Amino acid sequence: MKNWKEIVRHKQFRYLDHSKENFFNKKAYTALTSFAIDDVLALSVGGKNTAPAIRLWVHPDTVVLGIPDARLPYIEEGVELLNKQGYHVVVRNSGGLAVALDAGVLNISLVLPDVKHISIHDCYEAMVSFIQYMLRDLTNEIEAYEIVGSYCPGDYDLSIGGRKFAGISQRRVKDGAAIQIYLDVEGKGVERASLIRDFYSVGLKDAETKFSFPDVDPSTMASLTELLGTKITVNGMKDRVLESLQHFSDTIVTDDFSADEQEAFKTRYEQMVKRNERIAGMQ
């Protein structure tokens, strides 16, 4: 088992802030774009073509579904409900279930090489510890365990006082991995959780399914601002990411995508579009 600092520490890191910009070829910068970008970064990092990377991304009013969510018996009605609430719906290519994104949620992708020699568990632990380190001056009460009643529950839910503010997924492509975390930074966690609860209520109804979907209790979730009782912003959290990264790297670069990466992006983006054909047809 590797120490998390060994996993995160590298001589050079690539820092990519994609939280505001439109991206490749004037394509709409949606969550589909982000998942395709993370695949490209994992390929580049795993192939030793680029340095390990941290990427920041924010998408307004989007519900990201897991693969099982897309198979809900009344998925059309679930998507319709989300659309009526002003949310765009996409299906991701990494693990987990439905999560709600908006301007108050910061997503961080930690993209690491040589993961054939690093366990999935250790990669998750590295992200947990990095977030704990990043918020070390604000709290030492962040814990990682499944919060029953939260949306997208898992062993690496991050919580304070039993209320979840973040969840982690992982996507491995050849010898690179993108460990992705969403952080509910500001806004009301209960409102986000209520939206996902209503989605499952409409999309599942009383049907029996082989897959067990979460029974969402909105009171189990909150934003960091709510949990810490102090105003924390997405921009302030981005500053914390960069400040923390400087402790684990001698050099930080902000290189744009190379020609090879842009070419790989086209392929990965089309794969995401194909994955989302059915859901896109409902919107």
Side-chain angles (χ1 to χ4, degrees):
M1 181 173 179
K2 284 193 174 186
N3 178 281
W4 75 273
K5 291 184 179 180
E6 294 178 293
I7 296 173
V8 174
R9 192 181 303 279
H10 292 272
K11 288 185 177 180
Q12 187 177 84
F13 244 101
R14 190 178 184 185
Y15 175 81
L16 299 168
D17 182 0
H18 293 165
S19 62
K20 290 184 178 178
E21 63 192 87
N22 291 322
F23 217 63
F24 289 114
N25 302 325
K26 298 183 180 179
K27 290 184 185 292
Y29 182 46
T30 69
L32 292 187
T33 320
S34 277
F35 290 114
I37 292 169
D38 279 1
D39 271 12
V40 173
L41 289 173
L43 284 167
S44 290
V45 167
K48 304 295 192 299
N49 297 320
T50 61
I54 273 191
R55 191 175 80 87
L56 310 180
W57 43 293
V58 173
H59 292 291
D61 296 346
T62 300
V63 170
V64 179
L65 303 181
I67 295 169
D69 294 316
R71 298 174 182 147
L72 280 164
Y74 301 96
I75 183 61
E76 292 89 350
E77 293 179 38
V79 170
E80 182 182 10
L81 177 141
L82 296 174
N83 288 164
K84 285 182 176 178
Q85 295 295 319
Y87 282 78
H88 180 61
V89 183
V90 304
V91 182
R92 67 172 169 271
N93 55 7
S94 52
L97 294 172
V99 300
L101 307 182
D102 56 46
V105 177
L106 177 64
N107 301 276
I108 305 171
S109 298
L110 175 62
V111 190
L112 300 172
D114 301 321
V115 294
K116 289 178 182 175
H117 306 291
I118 307 173
S119 73
I120 291 174
H121 170 82
D122 284 352
C123 284
Y124 277 124
E125 290 287 348
M127 177 61 92
V128 170
S129 296
F130 183 79
I131 299 301
Q132 290 171 330
Y133 180 85
M134 193 171 77
L135 297 170
R136 64 195 182 283
D137 62 314
L138 295 177
T139 181
N140 61 359
E141 298 179 0
I142 296 173
E143 297 182 279
Y145 63 92
E146 182 175 336
I147 300 298
V148 177
S150 67
Y151 59 65
C152 196
D155 292 342
Y156 292 95
D157 295 340
L158 295 191
S159 62
I160 297 172
R163 299 181 75 191
K164 176 176 172 178
F165 67 90
I168 309 174
S169 62
Q170 188 169 160
R171 167 78 170 165
R172 292 190 167 207
V173 185
K174 296 188 177 178
D175 201 18
I179 304 100
Q180 302 159 332
I181 187 168
Y182 72 85
L183 294 170
D184 285 358
V185 179
E186 48 188 316
K188 295 186 182 297
V190 166
E191 291 181 0
R192 296 182 181 110
S194 296
L195 177 75
I196 302 301
R197 176 200 61 194
D198 294 347
F199 163 73
Y200 282 124
S201 177
V202 169
L204 188 58
K205 301 192 191 297
D206 294 323
E208 291 188 10
T209 57
K210 293 181 179 179
F211 189 89
S212 180
F213 293 94
D215 184 9
V216 178
D217 174 2
S219 69
T220 62
M221 303 192 71
S223 67
L224 272 171
T225 291
E226 293 171 314
L227 291 170
L228 298 177
T230 185
K231 179 64 175 174
I232 303 173
T233 65
V234 165
N235 283 336
M237 194 62 62
K238 286 162 52 177
D239 292 340
R240 286 177 175 272
V241 173
L242 185 56
E243 183 271 334
S244 298
L245 189 61
Q246 290 168 342
H247 288 267
F248 296 99
S249 181
D250 298 332
T251 307
I252 295 174
V253 297
T254 57
D255 298 342
D256 289 335
F257 265 37
S258 66
D260 286 345
E261 286 174 323
Q262 291 193 45
E263 197 61 34
F265 171 79
K266 293 177 185 177
T267 300
R268 292 288 166 168
Y269 182 79
E270 289 306 318
Q271 289 173 355
M272 287 302 302
V273 169
K274 187 170 182 61
R275 177 185 292 273
N276 277 266
E277 281 178 346
R278 179 165 171 259
I279 294 297
M282 301 175 191
Q283 302 183 74

